[in-house]
RNA sequence: GCGCCCGUAGCUCAACUGGAUAGAGCAUCGGCCUUCUAAGCCGAGGGUUACAGGUUCAAGUCCUGUCGGGCGUACCA
């Protein structure tokens, strides 16, 4: 149940009645406990419009709304806030086993999400984590809400750097073991190829020839290319699997997939009169984009030598997503440096009619990862930390911690907990921040296990499970409701009812940190409840009520964490 | 130069998109384990929300300007 929406509708109706025209209730969580559970702020704006006293308006609104069975106290406070206290009966009936944690949307859409999209020429590094985990979370959330999600891994599998890589691969062909060894570490392989390219002119010539051969469809070169792509993809897949990222080979649709369509895109733009020629290149000029001299900035779709660019590829991808995949929405989880690029692509796509008015096309950007010295990770010169190294370190540190906290556990159990906790911490570090700013990569911060981190949420969960085990609780025998009498129980109960609204927001805005904030608040509320309200030792009715609160909290934490792509453990 | 993004506690970040006394975590200091897991709980200190104006019942949030930072800005992706 979306509680806020419910209140917004109920109070909004009252507001509109008083106004004589549609008016918004503007319901939010109350800023402090003495102001109740929720507050409606719409009366002030309405009073302004009607040129009347806000408190008077608020009083009329209260008279005209029916919150029977939902609220047991409504008050006017300050300049005209309407404060609402939810009734215990409402909390009890809302938090019961047959109410689903998340309701499906009545308006299911087809949503394409473009995320992860690593460059296959190199190995995935820590900078790829952001897009990968955010996209993974967004797709899980949208699926949970009942939408049809189509994942698109727009990998970089085409371009001039492959000439150099394929040439180097050819050189090693006769020495199978050497080739295998080098390809096992793509970072090493890339550097070796680059070194040859820079130092050996003959090699560089062959590399350039291979680029041409590749682009013109030479069968042998294509075969080698396919081999390389397969190997590189399997590197990615190993990381996806470790991190439990829901991307498979079927979701891969790289740049090369659009090659055959590029000519058609350009022709189509031409037929629609959008194309003009400038310095030999074919471009779309848009009034809203200017270059550094204040002159119109082109979106170049075909170079003067006849070649195509990533703008062309992306236009083709847009067309594919809306025409072939029948998307209602297409979300791009790609870093901030590409803001202008996507603004241009989206504008052209709209002009060309690839996307209609009621179809959504949005770029969800985020800042780049910087090294400790504040400088960007160079993806050309190496120096970027391999994602695999981060994951190794996460497992090691978590293993040490588990070992020190629970020395009695066997190694296998410790290892399995270390994986869930370590990777959870890494993912949460990225998911919990909304910054469009750049941010500094820091091992200790990334691998922290204290405070507002995934392990805190996992700990809350395992504490609840441990409680059930100790109490030998059988929920099939508990059919009573909850009674939230203490402040801690009440806060926890209200918090549980905000889950739906939070998840819907994440689906709408593609902002996983909202879910992180929510789950942290939920876990904090639970911890306070746990400290103040004994569960197993309480008399039967109270014990059952508290057990039900625990159960709902555990279920919400587990589902919420799973939507973040983070696991839970029974013990830790 | 122009465009976009950003500037919140010592550090990393929130603030439900204009609402009441700007909140968390880390770090620092003090308390709480013979009662359900101390990866926890309770408490303290720490702020002119970069700066200056403006808009209004109400501004961290909107507008203008200044300073500081990042990114982008014609055939790489």
């Amino acid at each position: 149940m979306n509680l806020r929406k419910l209140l917004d509708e109920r109070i909004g109706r009252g507001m509109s009645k008083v106004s004589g025209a549609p008016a918004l209730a503007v319901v939010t969580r109350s800023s402090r406990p003495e102001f109740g559970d929720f507050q409606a702020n719409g009366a002030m704006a309405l009073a302004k419009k009607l040129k009347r006293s806000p408190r008077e308006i608020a009083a009329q609104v209260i008279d005209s709304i029916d919150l029977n069975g939902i609220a047991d106290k409504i008050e006017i406070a300050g300049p005209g806030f309407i404060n609402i206290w939810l009734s215990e009966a409402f909390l009890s009936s809302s938090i019961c086993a047959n109410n689903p944690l998340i309701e499906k949307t009545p308006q299911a859409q087809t949503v394409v999400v473009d995320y992860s999209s690593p460059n296959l020429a190199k190995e995935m590094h820590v900078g790829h984590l952001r897009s990968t985990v955010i996209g993974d979370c967004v797709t899980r959330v949208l699926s949970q809400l009942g939408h049809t999600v189509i994942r698109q891994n727009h990998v970089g599998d085409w371009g001039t750097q492959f000439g150099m890589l394929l040439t180097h691969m050819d050189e090693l062909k006769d020495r199978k073991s050497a080739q295998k060894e080098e390809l096992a570490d793509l970072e090493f392989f890339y550097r070796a190829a680059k070194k040859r390219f820079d130092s050996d002119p003959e090699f560089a010539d062959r590399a350039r020839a291979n680029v041409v051969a590749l682009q013109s469809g030479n069968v042998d070169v294509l075969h080698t290319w396919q081999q390389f792509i397969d190997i590189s993809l399997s590197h990615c897949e190993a990381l996806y699997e470790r991190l439990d990222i829901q991307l498979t080979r079927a979701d891969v649709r790289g740049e090369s997939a659009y090659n055959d369509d590029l000519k058609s895109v350009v022709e189509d733009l031409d037929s629609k009169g959008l194309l003009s020629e400038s310095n030999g290149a074919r471009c779309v000029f848009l009034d809203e984009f200017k270059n550094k001299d204040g002159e119109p900035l082109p979106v170049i779709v075909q170079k003067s030598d006849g070649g195509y660019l990533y703008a062309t590829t992306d236009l083709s991808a847009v067309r594919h997503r809306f025409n072939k995949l029948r998307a209602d929405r297409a979300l791009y989880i790609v870093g901030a440096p590409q803001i202008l690029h996507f603004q241009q692509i989206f504008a052209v796509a709209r002009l060309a009619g690839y996307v209609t008015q009621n179809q959504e096309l949005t770029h969800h950007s985020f800042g780049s990862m910087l090294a400790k010295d504040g400088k960007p990770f160079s993806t050309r010169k190496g120096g970027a930390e391999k994602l695999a190294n981060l994951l190794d370190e996460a497992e090691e540190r978590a293993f040490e911690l588990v070992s020190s906290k629970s020395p009695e556990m066997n190694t296998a159990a410790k290892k399995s907990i270390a994986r869930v906790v370590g990777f959870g911490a890494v993912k949460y570090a990225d998911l919990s921040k909304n910054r469009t700013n750049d941010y500094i990569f820091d091992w200790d911060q990334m691998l922290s296990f204290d405070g507002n981190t995934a392990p805190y949420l996992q700990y809350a969960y395992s504490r609840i499970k441990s409680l059930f085990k100790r109490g030998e609780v059988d929920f099939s025998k508990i059919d009573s409701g909850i009674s939230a009498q203490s402040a801690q129980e009440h806060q926890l109960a209200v918090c549980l009812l905000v889950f739906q609204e939070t998840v819907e927001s994440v689906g709408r805005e593609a902002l996983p940190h909202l879910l992180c904030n929510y789950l942290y608040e939920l876990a904090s509320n639970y911890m306070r409840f746990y400290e103040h309200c004994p569960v197993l030792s309480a008399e039967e009715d109270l014990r059952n009520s508290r057990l039900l609160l625990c159960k709902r909290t555990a279920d919400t934490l587990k589902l919420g964490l799973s939507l973040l792509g983070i696991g839970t453990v029974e013990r830790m």
Side-chain angles (χ1 to χ4, degrees), chain A residues 118-128 165 181-191 228 231-236 238-239 242 379 382 384-390 392:
Chain A
N119 179 1
L120 295 187
K122 307 188 76 184
E123 194 155 328
M124 285 180 82
H125 60 87
V126 289
H128 290 116
L165 297 170
E181 195 183 320
E182 283 205 16
L183 284 168
D185 186 338
L186 277 187
E187 209 55 37
F188 180 88
F189 184 85
Y190 183 93
R191 277 201 301 272
F228 181 85
I231 291 166
S232 187
L233 273 175
S234 58
H235 278 80
C236 295
L239 290 165
R242 277 182 93 181
T379 49
E385 195 67 55
K386 279 191 200 178
L387 185 49
N389 292 347
L390 175 66
D392 292 345

Side-chain angles (χ1 to χ4, degrees), chain A residues 89-196:
Chain A
F90 175 73
L91 295 178
S92 180
S93 65
S94 304
I95 301 171
C96 62
N98 41 12
N99 279 358
L101 291 170
I102 293 296
E103 291 170 359
K104 304 287 182 198
T105 174
Q107 290 129 0
Q109 294 180 308
T110 298
V111 188
V112 169
V113 183
D114 178 324
Y115 67 106
S116 195
S117 308
N119 179 1
L120 295 187
K122 307 188 76 184
E123 194 155 328
M124 285 180 82
H125 60 87
V126 289
H128 290 116
L129 192 58
R130 209 94 206 262
S131 171
T132 305
V133 297
I134 292 174
D136 189 57
C137 170
V138 170
T139 56
R140 286 168 187 261
V141 163
L142 290 168
S143 299
Q144 180 69 42
L145 288 169
H147 297 290
T148 302
V149 174
I150 302 177
R151 297 169 173 83
Q152 291 283 277
N153 197 355
H154 192 84
V155 298
D157 62 358
W158 203 251
T160 48
Q161 77 257 51
F162 286 96
M164 155 187 111
L165 297 170
L166 300 182
T167 308
H168 185 58
M169 211 164 146
D170 265 342
E171 280 193 355
L172 297 173
K173 201 171 3 181
D174 300 333
R175 293 183 289 142
K176 273 266 189 263
S177 62
Q179 190 191 59
K180 200 177 171 193
E181 195 183 320
E182 283 205 16
L183 284 168
D185 186 338
L186 277 187
E187 209 55 37
F188 180 88
F189 184 85
Y190 183 93
R191 277 201 301 272
K194 185 83 165 65
K195 201 171 163 190
R196 291 281 281 139

Side-chain angles (χ1 to χ4, degrees), chain A residues 240-489:
Chain A
Y240 293 155
E241 196 174 325
R242 277 182 93 181
L243 279 171
D244 192 20
I245 301 295
Q246 299 182 319
L247 277 172
T248 67
R249 202 57 75 112
D251 304 314
V252 172
R253 192 175 167 88
E255 290 163 354
S256 64
Y258 300 98
N259 285 347
D260 293 344
D261 190 47
L262 301 180
K263 190 171 166 228
S264 147
V265 167
V266 174
E267 281 168 3
D268 185 65
L269 294 174
D270 195 22
S271 75
K272 284 168 176 156
L274 296 171
L275 237 47
S276 44
E277 201 175 301
S278 177
N279 297 330
R282 309 185 81 185
C283 321
V284 181
F285 283 96
L286 300 162
D287 292 339
E288 60 263 48
F289 302 107
K290 308 259 190 249
N291 73 5
K292 50 189 160 189
D293 301 318
E295 288 153 10
L297 182 67
V299 180
I300 301 176
V301 293
Q302 190 169 20
K303 296 193 282 184
S304 48
D305 68 2
Y308 302 103
L309 298 103
Y310 80 136
T312 330
T313 308
D314 275 329
L315 282 168
S316 174
V318 169
R319 197 161 76 156
H320 176 255
R321 289 164 189 189
F322 286 97
N323 288 353
K324 291 267 164 49
L325 301 178
R326 321 284 315 161
D328 298 302
R329 306 172 70 193
L331 314 181
Y332 289 69
I333 317 293
V334 182
Q338 303 210 32
I339 285 176
L340 177 60
H341 167 69
F342 283 121
Q343 280 177 348
Q344 293 178 319
I345 296 304
F346 294 175
V348 173
R350 297 249 179 223
L351 267 182
Y354 300 158
V355 197
T356 61
Q357 197 72 47
N358 50 10
Q359 290 171 320
E360 183 188 321
L361 182 56
T362 43
H363 175 206
H364 301 271
S365 67
F366 47 85
S368 314
M369 202 177 253
L370 304 178
K372 274 186 209 105
D373 57 6
K375 296 197 173 132
F377 278 107
S378 158
T379 49
R380 294 193 189 88
K381 285 270 171 195
E385 195 67 55
K386 279 191 200 178
L387 185 49
N389 292 347
L390 175 66
L391 301 188
D392 292 345
E393 180 87 11
E395 273 186 286
E396 278 168 35
R397 292 202 192 191
F399 182 79
E400 274 172 44
L401 188 62
V402 177
S403 302
S404 72
K405 299 278 181 189
S406 310
E408 76 287 354
M409 258 182 219
N410 66 50
T411 307
K414 285 191 276 199
K415 282 207 164 146
S416 122
I417 292 168
R419 267 195 297 277
V420 178
V421 169
F423 297 159
V426 167
K427 285 181 161 189
Y428 193 88
D430 251 5
L431 288 169
S432 60
K433 293 169 184 59
N434 181 33
R435 291 270 128 174
T436 55
N437 275 354
D438 292 342
Y439 63 113
I440 305 219
F441 176 76
D442 177 40
W443 285 107
D444 295 325
Q445 213 176 290
M446 204 83 187
L447 297 174
S448 166
F449 303 118
D450 296 317
N452 187 357
T453 61
Y456 179 86
L457 308 180
Q458 292 164 327
Y459 181 61
Y461 177 82
S462 69
R463 270 182 137 180
I464 301 174
K465 297 305 274 192
S466 157
L467 197 65
F468 295 162
K469 197 182 278 178
R470 177 178 284 263
E472 294 175 350
V473 181
D474 180 358
F475 281 99
S476 66
K477 291 190 176 124
I478 301 175
D479 58 356
S480 53
I482 65 145
S483 65
Q485 279 163 9
S486 69
Q488 289 84 5
E489 287 166 289

Side-chain angles (χ1 to χ4, degrees), chain A residues 36-50:
Chain A
D37 300 313
F38 283 84
Q39 59 182 67
N41 302 331
M44 275 94 72
L46 181 54
K48 173 110 184 156
K49 200 171 136 202
L50 301 179

